[in-house]
Amino acid sequence: MKIGIGNDTAGTKLKYIILEHLKSKGFEVIDFGAANGETVEYPAAAKTVSEAVLKGEVDKGILLCATGIGISMAANKIKGIRAALCADSYSAKMAAEHTDAHVIAIGAKIIGEEVAVDIVDSFLNSRFSGGVFKTRIDLMSELEK
Ligand SMILES: O=C(CO)[C@H](O)[C@H](O)COP(=O)(O)O
């Protein structure tokens, strides 16, 4: 599984922790986010990762900003993207199982490092349930028209 990770400046430290964790688990990770000392605004990071998912360059995306709020809002403005702001691993599991989220967002100043890693693992280890949940995301997609 190929993962895209993106962050604004506030998410840089947590990005590297998640990046190393994912690599240690054998994931291929593309880092689209701000590097140490670099200034990147969250809309740009959200756009790059979301478009990479839509193009199939990566399978799923992880987004980080200080709160996770702006970067999840920005990702949800990209047509076709379902982004879920997650503060716990159950939500991350449901984001995958019930809403087939393309990306999750985590607040780097809100969520501790170990919980953040649990959230990421929970999201990536969970699969879309289909069935009635597919009907519902199709209804959600109609809202974009
Ligand atoms: O969480 C965010 C948006 O929802 C941003 O990361 C936050 O606003 C950045 O703030 P600052 O420039 O003070 O680090």
Side-chain angles (χ1 to χ4, degrees):
M1 201 173 189
K2 210 166 170 179
I3 310 302
I5 192 162
N7 58 287
D8 73 354
T9 311
T12 308
K13 182 170 176 245
L14 184 59
K15 186 264 296 291
Y16 286 118
I17 288 161
I18 293 173
L19 188 61
E20 288 314 311
H21 172 73
L22 290 176
K23 284 183 179 168
S24 77
K25 292 263 177 182
F27 288 99
E28 190 180 342
V29 188
I30 302 183
D31 180 2
F32 294 101
N36 271 327
E38 192 183 9
T39 299
V40 171
E41 303 295 354
Y42 62 79
K47 183 172 189 282
T48 315
V49 172
S50 298
E51 288 180 347
V53 177
L54 291 176
K55 286 182 200 155
E57 291 170 5
V58 295
D59 299 298
K60 294 287 178 185
I62 309 293
L63 297 174
L64 310 162
C65 69
T67 60
I69 296 170
I71 207 160
S72 58
M73 287 180 172
N76 278 315
K77 290 193 180 296
I78 308 289
K79 194 170 180 188
I81 282 289
R82 290 181 298 277
L85 173 57
C86 293
D88 62 274
S89 56
Y90 180 72
S91 298
K93 179 175 184 283
M94 290 297 110
E97 290 184 0
H98 284 200
T99 56
D100 198 19
H102 301 92
V103 301
I104 57 165
I106 300 172
K109 288 191 179 173
I110 311 289
I111 305 297
E113 291 167 6
E114 290 189 21
V115 175
V117 164
D118 277 350
I119 289 170
V120 169
D121 283 349
S122 185
F123 177 56
L124 298 179
N125 290 333
S126 302
R127 296 290 168 267
F128 184 47
S129 302
V132 67
F133 303 107
K134 170 76 170 79
T135 308
R136 291 173 187 156
I137 62 169
D138 287 345
L139 289 169
M140 184 161 46
S141 298
E142 282 180 29
L143 299 175
E144 286 183 329
K145 291 177 186 163

